[in-house]
Amino acid sequence: MTDRLSKILSIVNENRKIEVSKLSELLDVSQVTIRKDLDILSEKGLINREHGYAVLNESDDINNRLAVNYNIKLKIAKSAAETVSNGETIMIESGSSCAIFAEEVAKSKKDITIMSNSAFIASYIRQYSNCKVILLGGEYQKESQVNVGPITKICAEQFYVDKLFIGIDGFSPTIGFMASDLMRAEAVKSMAASARKVIILSDSTKFDRHGLVNLFSIGDIDALYTDANIPDKICETFERKGIHVITVSTAT
């Protein structure tokens, strides 16, 4: 995604609904150019179009989650992608931060193989010819577009990779990293058993929330990519526990 598209998405997120003419004025480009940009964002499901307006996608699905804090998630994705080498095979779990990361890896690396239980990610990066996708099977959850259950566990057991990249839904200092769905959490744990390192990709807002189920204890994680707004106390706790914490700037 170009810098202008990212700026448009950030503006739409902030305003929730904004005129095409106003976007044209703010970004100093023609309305024709803005409309073409909005078409791209609309095709990705990141915004909705109304006559003369761009509107934030309010639906409770992964496309909506992609649009929230997109610029920060993109910075996190770019930073984490630096750890992936050309020709490498990696695992990526479902979620908005993971989808943005998968696209960044697919377009910036060569001969990459991505294993995932996310049908959304498989579709999201399908246009990148240098990236092969292995989709882990299982019971299909329609809203999150992810495969879960015993079949996913069996599929994951057939492979072993150096790195698994995951997202989280919350954090508790006493429990650890948390998820919002039990079946998805179990799928991620199965994938983690087939990886040498488990790496979290998450914007800092997740550390102000609790999930519903335990995902991993602090000691089970090798690295965390997040933004500079993560509370210092939490960051210090992670580093004491041996988690390598990498933060990105929140400045636009």
Side-chain angles (χ1 to χ4, degrees):
M1 185 177 292
T2 66
D3 288 342
R4 190 175 64 246
L5 289 176
S6 295
K7 288 178 182 177
I8 291 172
L9 190 54
S10 179
I11 293 169
V12 175
N13 265 281
E14 183 177 347
N15 292 272
R16 311 194 78 80
K17 182 176 181 177
I18 188 168
E19 300 94 333
V20 170
S21 59
K22 184 64 174 179
L23 284 170
S24 173
E25 178 185 332
L26 289 172
L27 297 174
D28 194 26
V29 295
S30 70
Q31 292 189 33
V32 172
T33 297
I34 291 294
R35 290 190 184 95
K36 289 179 179 178
D37 289 344
L38 294 179
D39 285 341
I40 294 171
L41 294 173
S42 179
E43 287 173 4
K44 282 180 169 286
L46 297 174
I47 65 164
N48 291 324
R49 297 287 307 276
E50 292 182 4
H51 184 67
Y53 289 88
V55 184
L56 184 66
N57 185 346
E58 299 282 9
S59 62
D60 186 22
D61 61 17
I62 191 169
N63 286 311
N64 183 39
R65 296 195 297 274
L66 273 174
V68 176
N69 295 325
Y70 180 88
N71 289 337
I72 290 176
K73 291 175 181 177
L74 180 59
K75 288 182 179 181
I76 290 170
K78 288 179 179 293
S79 181
E82 294 177 2
T83 69
V84 180
S85 303
N86 292 333
E88 188 172 358
T89 297
I90 59 175
M91 278 188 180
I92 306 178
E93 185 254 337
S94 63
S96 58
S97 292
C98 289
I100 295 169
F101 169 72
E103 182 176 36
E104 186 61 32
V105 170
K107 71 181 182 182
S108 64
K109 305 295 179 178
K110 296 180 180 179
D111 301 321
I112 290 294
T113 299
I114 292 176
M115 297 181 184
S116 181
N117 64 329
S118 170
F120 178 86
I121 286 178
S123 176
Y124 196 67
I125 63 174
R126 66 186 183 277
Q127 71 269 35
Y128 298 102
S129 59
N130 281 334
C131 179
K132 180 168 71 174
V133 178
I134 297 175
L135 186 59
L136 304 178
E139 178 185 342
Y140 182 62
Q141 289 188 338
K142 294 180 181 179
E143 183 175 295
S144 56
Q145 300 181 51
V146 62
N147 295 331
V148 297
I151 295 176
T152 305
K153 182 176 186 296
I154 292 170
C155 289
E157 289 173 344
Q158 308 309 307
F159 304 99
Y160 189 79
V161 298
D162 187 58
K163 306 177 188 77
L164 165 66
F165 296 88
I166 70 170
I168 59 171
D169 295 315
F171 174 76
S172 164
T174 55
I175 298 173
F177 301 99
M178 307 184 76
S180 60
D181 182 278
L182 177 60
M183 294 291 283
R184 285 181 62 188
E186 291 302 315
V188 175
K189 290 176 182 178
S190 297
M191 295 167 71
S194 294
R196 188 172 72 88
K197 295 179 181 178
V198 179
I199 301 168
I200 290 176
L201 312 174
S202 176
D203 64 89
S204 62
T205 62
K206 300 295 177 64
F207 297 100
D208 294 327
R209 307 174 190 172
H210 277 204
L212 295 176
V213 295
N214 176 40
L215 185 58
F216 291 112
S217 65
I218 296 175
D220 293 329
I221 301 302
D222 296 280
L224 165 67
Y225 286 80
T226 187
D227 61 78
N229 285 336
I230 183 173
D232 291 340
K233 184 177 292 187
I234 291 178
C235 190
E236 290 167 3
T237 298
F238 291 160
E239 291 176 341
R240 284 200 304 271
K241 293 289 187 177
I243 298 178
H244 183 40
V245 180
I246 304 91
T247 59
V248 300
S249 171
T250 57
T252 56

